[in-house]
Amino acid sequence: MTTTEPTVEPVSRALDEIKIGGMGASRRRVEDNRFIRGKGHYIDDVVLPGMLHMEILRSPVAHARIRSIDTSAAWDIPGVRLVLTGEMLATRNLAWMPTLSYDTQAVLATDKVRFQGQEVAAVIADDPYIAKDACEAIVVDYEPLPVIVNPTQALADDAPIIRDDKENQPDNVCFTWQVGDKDGTDRAFAEADHVSTIEMHYPRSHPSPLETCGSVADFDRATGKLTVYMTTQAPHIVRAAVALIAELPEHMIRIVSPDLGGGFGNKVPVYPGYVVSIVASILTERPVKWIEDRTSNLISTGFGRDVYLKGELALRKDGKILAVRMHTDSDHGAFFGDAQPSKFKIGLLHSTFSCYDIPTAHLTARGVYTNKAPGGVAYRCSFRVTEAMFFQERMMQAAAEELGLDQAEFRRMNFVRDDDFPHRTPFGFLTDSGQYAKCLQVGLDAIDYEGFRKEQAEAAKNGRLLGIGISCMTEPLGAGNSREYDILGIKMFDSAELRVHMTGKAILRTGAKTQGQGHETTWAQIVAHELGLPADDIVVEEGDTDTAPFGMGTYASRSTPVAGAAVAMAARKVRAKARKLAAHLLEVSEEDVEWELGRFYVRSAPDRGVTIQECAMAAYSNMPDGLEPGLEANAYYDPPNLTWPFGCYIVTVEVDPLTGVWDVLRVVAVDDCGVRINPMIVEGQIMGGLTEAYAMSSMQFITFDAEGNCIGSNFMDYLLPTAWETPGYELHEVVTPCPHHPIGAKGIGECATVGGPAAFVNAVMDALKGYGVRNVDMPLLPDRVRQAITTGADVSGAPPIRTDS
């Protein structure tokens, strides 16, 4: 009798991915070793020999004709080296510069000022104190003009033309745009059992990073090279813009973005201060440093939001949504300077309702000029998606209330089903994966939804106002497929360059630019996942255009969806070459070589293998004939589609009916961001995002009075939450890998900021539903909530604000 020996599977010698700091490891951020010790290297740490200092004179008024500028007293102050005005820049064709939205923006004002804080003149001196004193010595004669601080004023028949510098500009409209099926939407509304309508304003918010903007420009006349150290999230884009503005050859411009003390979209645009410091360095032939003060940052640099909505839902009486109709007016300030894909004038606002199965929709948008600083930056959101999801979820709650439906069930019945992917939204996006109903259910179970509803009813008997708010969102991330996405004509791909040295240590450079996301940590983890190199053996560099491959920078949650994918693809190219080296070392054909994490082995003899480090050594010392030395690769990743993370945020609150003060009781967050590279960093991003969401909903308030004065120009007026006010968060997860991303990741950096605000507002509105109030504009300050309770009417937060009472 013949017996067959059982097949014995070879014992894997693959490395433990968690132990080497690969995917899924909660690896501590390597950046923090220098940050928590005060060893970060920021713009103000840059000191060059012979460096001068620049201060900018800003307009104290929002709209005025400039009659004259007298700089003579400034020139007379000892230590002043140069005084620049718009008129002087105009002689060099530098008084105006292009914006990222194909508009123009004044570098230094020539004809008139168009917002409070606009740059009027600049002084370059031996130290910053002399420069500041000299700015105060400049005398500007202003002729006041009527001021516009909201779209209603801007669109009035008798409104003054703010951009009278532009030929054929008949009014204050900077764009009109529409998307969707108007006729089909109109038919659906005509057939609806009920139409729910709501109007609201998403107010201006300021990213307010810890570090303000600044630059150190250094033009070397001998070599013709310009080096600029700069607070920018997109060094390569800035280099291209500087080449166009300063008319210098691009290869003779080096942009270096060192450590950034936060960005959040605020450090994407090219600001006049950057340009003026460059011009000053060229003229003085010495390095020139410009560091913005806090008030200047708050009143003049890129704002987010400031969008007005009229939203309508066509509904069947059973709760099925038949159509969506939306109109927005967006306030862009004096110059249309949004950083967003070229073809989408209102960003990706039309991503709204992407998680809901809605047959048809139509959106119209209009942008207007006002006497405010340019707004519309992607403040921790993917190009107006924060507004899209806020409007969406406020509309969903209002409609559920009107139909008498439970708000959770109303969402559930209209969700895109799990088996309906890929799903085409009514505005044309293609969503590819998700478990929306599951995320909602995880959140409802965690918050004990039914239990809270009973508690709420009991509390009402005792005069206590409890509320629960739900916000569901899916955010389009990774703008970059070159069919549709570009900025100034440059396609929104991204890049990575990976070089493995002979000892198996590696250096990775990308076209992204971290400003707190943890790139130095997570990028190394991706390489560890792909190659088996310990993450501690990989150094990550970004932010220097002389060394980094060309990339579009970091904003709008493009890091993991695009740059992270490029890192994975570069690592795979390295692994493919290493396989050839392994075959040579093992003396077998490449087809006979198998891979497991950290080593190649012979398929028929698993004990015969070589490590990735041995392959690296061979790349420099024992190459097969015909194979180039070295072990390195570049990758440029052009994503086939956006990624679509999903989040469900549920908040419970109690409102004091006597004061309007509301307290957060619990916050539950459920996020599906696909595969998580570093769970600890993911959780940190969610907590930070929820804190921003809470701040927007409760306290962050930059507004304007009738004269265009910015109310909120310091942190006494523009409130940021401290650890004392910030609520605790309960985090949960669902994992649905992205089907087209190399590692299945979707991105997480902005999700909680995008989806969170509506949860807080919906909770307060749920508490107030007995008063007949449908909307209170953010921030829900106690006086606004109290006004809603006492009047039973909606409360608008649109400027101008009264300052005389």
Side-chain angles (χ1 to χ4, degrees):
M1 179 176 174
T2 307
T3 59
T4 304
E5 292 291 330
T7 301
V8 179
E9 293 292 331
V11 176
S12 172
R13 296 186 182 180
L15 298 174
D16 184 320
E17 184 160 3
I18 300 302
K19 288 184 177 179
I20 68 169
M23 291 266 289
S26 288
R27 182 181 181 228
R28 290 190 175 186
R29 296 190 352 155
V30 298
E31 298 93 324
D32 293 346
N33 288 332
R34 64 181 186 275
F35 292 152
I36 63 176
R37 291 173 171 81
K39 299 297 184 181
H41 188 64
Y42 300 93
I43 285 296
D44 207 22
D45 296 319
V46 176
V47 178
L48 302 178
M51 188 172 70
L52 302 174
H53 297 265
M54 184 178 89
E55 181 72 20
I56 292 176
L57 177 68
R58 298 181 180 276
S59 170
V61 296
H63 199 197
R65 192 80 57 190
I66 296 177
R67 291 194 183 103
S68 63
I69 302 177
D70 184 357
T71 62
S72 56
W75 278 105
D76 290 340
I77 295 176
V80 170
R81 303 293 175 172
L82 181 65
V83 181
L84 288 172
T85 64
E87 194 173 280
M88 296 171 66
L89 293 183
T91 63
R92 295 170 170 82
N93 199 30
L94 290 172
W96 292 79
M97 65 182 187
T99 72
L100 296 177
S101 291
Y102 295 92
D103 197 5
T104 52
Q105 177 174 348
V107 177
L108 294 177
T110 52
D111 53 341
K112 66 178 184 178
V113 293
R114 293 172 170 85
F115 65 90
Q116 185 186 58
Q118 184 175 347
E119 300 83 355
V120 176
V123 174
I124 295 84
D126 290 341
D127 69 51
Y129 305 102
I130 293 174
K132 194 171 188 66
D133 289 344
C135 274
E136 294 176 356
I138 297 173
V139 178
V140 184
D141 185 5
Y142 295 106
E143 176 190 342
L145 297 171
V147 174
I148 292 171
V149 294
N150 63 50
T152 300
Q153 295 174 342
L155 297 168
D157 291 339
D158 60 347
I161 305 301
I162 295 172
R163 294 301 305 277
D164 49 359
D165 60 289
K166 297 168 69 74
E167 293 184 13
N168 303 316
Q169 180 69 36
D171 52 32
N172 290 314
V173 175
C174 56
F175 72 81
T176 58
W177 192 74
Q178 64 174 315
V179 63
D181 179 1
K182 182 181 185 306
D183 293 339
T185 301
D186 289 345
R187 287 193 297 270
F189 270 84
E191 297 168 1
D193 296 323
H194 178 77
V195 173
S196 174
T197 303
I198 190 168
E199 297 188 33
M200 67 189 84
H201 174 221
Y202 200 128
R204 281 206 167 201
S205 299
H206 196 283
S208 52
L210 281 173
E211 179 195 32
T212 60
C213 296
S215 61
V216 179
D218 183 16
F219 179 69
D220 187 329
R221 179 71 67 185
T223 63
K225 183 152 189 174
L226 171 68
T227 300
V228 188
Y229 302 87
M230 181 184 293
T231 50
T232 178
Q233 298 172 223
H236 285 93
I237 296 302
V238 170
R239 183 180 67 179
V242 169
L244 294 172
I245 295 168
E247 297 183 351
L248 293 171
E250 190 174 357
H251 69 292
M252 297 302 287
I253 300 172
R254 179 190 181 198
I255 304 296
V256 180
S257 183
D259 290 330
L260 293 182
F264 309 103
N266 184 245
K267 293 171 182 173
V268 175
V270 178
Y271 292 115
Y274 299 154
V275 177
V276 177
S277 68
I278 291 169
V279 173
S281 180
I282 292 173
L283 294 177
T284 61
E285 299 187 20
R286 290 172 64 178
V288 174
K289 175 185 280 190
W290 165 64
I291 301 295
E292 185 180 52
D293 62 39
R294 177 59 62 184
T295 292
S296 296
N297 182 262
L298 284 169
I299 69 174
S300 70
T301 59
F303 294 83
R305 327 306 185 217
D306 213 349
V307 179
Y308 298 75
L309 168 86
K310 179 179 180 181
E312 299 175 284
L313 290 178
L315 301 159
R316 272 193 337 224
K317 58 186 176 183
D318 65 354
K320 174 61 180 172
I321 303 173
L322 303 177
V324 175
R325 188 159 53 199
M326 301 171 71
H327 173 76
T328 65
D329 284 318
S330 52
D331 185 332
H332 292 267
F335 310 109
F336 183 25
D338 291 16
Q340 63 190 15
S342 299
K343 68 183 287 187
F344 301 115
K345 294 297 185 183
I346 192 63
L348 303 185
L349 189 70
H350 56 306
S351 64
T352 187
F353 289 95
S354 292
C355 62
Y356 297 110
D357 185 12
I358 297 174
T360 185
H362 185 239
L363 180 149
T364 56
R366 176 171 52 190
V368 300
Y369 293 116
T370 62
N371 293 120
K372 300 177 182 176
V377 300
Y379 169 21
R380 201 164 182 176
C381 85
S382 189
F383 311 114
R384 300 288 190 180
V385 175
T386 301
E387 294 94 314
M389 298 304 143
F390 179 77
F391 293 152
Q392 164 192 297
E393 290 304 289
R394 291 290 295 114
M395 290 170 67
M396 289 295 291
Q397 183 179 24
E401 286 290 330
E402 291 174 29
L403 292 175
L405 297 175
D406 176 78
Q407 58 173 314
E409 186 56 35
F410 178 56
R411 287 175 170 84
R412 194 195 323 268
M413 69 182 295
N414 283 290
F415 273 150
V416 176
R417 301 187 314 275
D418 295 358
D419 60 358
D420 192 24
F421 290 103
H423 176 79
R424 184 71 66 180
T425 78
F427 291 118
F429 290 102
L430 187 68
T431 58
D432 50 39
S433 62
Q435 301 177 73
Y436 303 158
K438 180 179 179 180
C439 285
L440 175 61
Q441 192 60 51
V442 170
L444 295 175
D445 292 343
I447 204 81
D448 186 14
Y449 185 71
E450 295 301 328
F452 182 84
R453 282 302 192 194
K454 293 176 183 178
E455 181 185 353
Q456 183 183 34
E458 286 299 314
K461 296 176 184 178
N462 299 315
R464 294 173 59 209
L465 301 179
L466 301 185
I468 186 166
I470 299 173
S471 177
C472 298
M473 70 96 226
T474 183
E475 182 182 10
L477 302 184
N481 81 73
S482 57
R483 300 183 307 278
E484 295 187 282
Y485 296 95
D486 71 87
I487 291 181
L488 293 179
I490 306 169
K491 302 300 183 182
M492 295 182 70
F493 55 82
D494 230 301
S495 59
E497 174 192 281
L498 177 62
R499 182 174 301 161
V500 182
H501 303 307
M502 68 175 65
T503 56
K505 315 301 182 184
I507 182 168
L508 174 73
R509 295 186 174 105
T510 84
K513 173 56 195 166
T514 186
Q515 63 253 214
Q517 294 89 342
H519 290 182
E520 293 174 46
T521 304
T522 54
W523 289 172
Q525 291 184 248
I526 295 174
V527 175
H529 171 72
E530 296 291 345
L531 295 181
L533 295 175
D536 288 341
D537 288 350
I538 303 156
V539 170
V540 177
E541 290 184 0
E542 294 177 336
D544 187 336
T545 58
D546 268 11
T547 58
F550 186 94
M552 295 296 284
T554 300
Y555 42 88
S557 262
R558 300 183 67 253
S559 292
T560 297
V562 190
V567 171
M569 300 308 289
R572 291 177 187 182
K573 288 183 178 182
V574 166
R575 192 172 71 207
K577 184 173 183 180
R579 183 185 295 272
K580 298 180 185 297
L581 291 161
H584 173 66
L585 294 175
L586 295 168
E587 299 180 325
V588 296
S589 67
E590 188 177 342
E591 291 73 19
D592 291 330
V593 174
E594 295 289 344
W595 164 259
E596 61 184 1
L597 189 64
R599 71 186 287 265
F600 295 97
Y601 62 89
V602 179
R603 183 182 298 115
S604 59
D607 289 341
R608 287 185 60 208
V610 291
T611 66
I612 188 70
Q613 288 87 351
E614 290 171 319
C615 293
M617 179 61 75
Y620 297 89
S621 62
N622 186 13
M623 299 83 66
D625 292 340
L627 190 67
E628 288 184 345
L631 191 57
E632 57 190 66
N634 291 328
Y636 287 84
Y637 185 75
D638 184 1
N641 189 13
L642 303 167
T643 61
W644 294 88
F646 181 82
C648 174
Y649 309 102
I650 305 178
V651 173
T652 58
V653 301
E654 180 167 2
V655 179
D656 185 336
L658 298 179
T659 64
V661 172
W662 52 281
D663 294 319
V664 177
L665 304 177
R666 291 179 66 192
V667 180
V668 166
V670 185
D671 282 277
D672 181 356
C673 60
V675 174
R676 298 188 172 199
I677 302 168
N678 184 317
M680 182 168 59
I681 286 181
V682 168
E683 291 176 2
Q685 291 279 25
I686 295 169
M687 291 181 181
L690 287 171
T691 302
E692 288 190 66
Y694 170 66
M696 290 177 200
S697 66
S698 65
M699 63 180 68
Q700 285 185 185
F701 188 36
I702 280 188
T703 190
F704 299 81
D705 66 15
E707 295 179 348
N709 296 308
C710 180
I711 311 300
S713 60
N714 55 69
F715 286 153
M716 293 293 288
D717 295 322
Y718 188 61
L719 302 181
L720 302 181
T722 67
W724 180 261
E725 297 91 4
T726 301
Y729 308 121
E730 305 166 39
L731 307 186
H732 302 266
E733 69 176 273
V734 171
V735 178
T736 312
C738 175
H740 63 77
H741 190 276
I743 59 175
K746 296 181 177 181
I748 190 60
E750 298 166 348
C751 294
T753 309
V754 168
F760 291 100
V761 176
N762 282 345
V764 175
M765 299 312 300
D766 183 61
L768 302 186
K769 61 186 176 183
Y771 293 91
V773 180
R774 301 184 75 252
N775 184 64
V776 177
D777 280 341
M778 292 192 295
L780 272 63
L781 304 171
D783 63 319
R784 291 187 185 179
V785 176
R786 175 65 181 157
Q787 179 183 341
I789 291 172
T790 55
T791 65
D794 292 0
V795 180
S796 170
I801 188 174
R802 289 188 60 183
T803 57
D804 58 352
S805 61

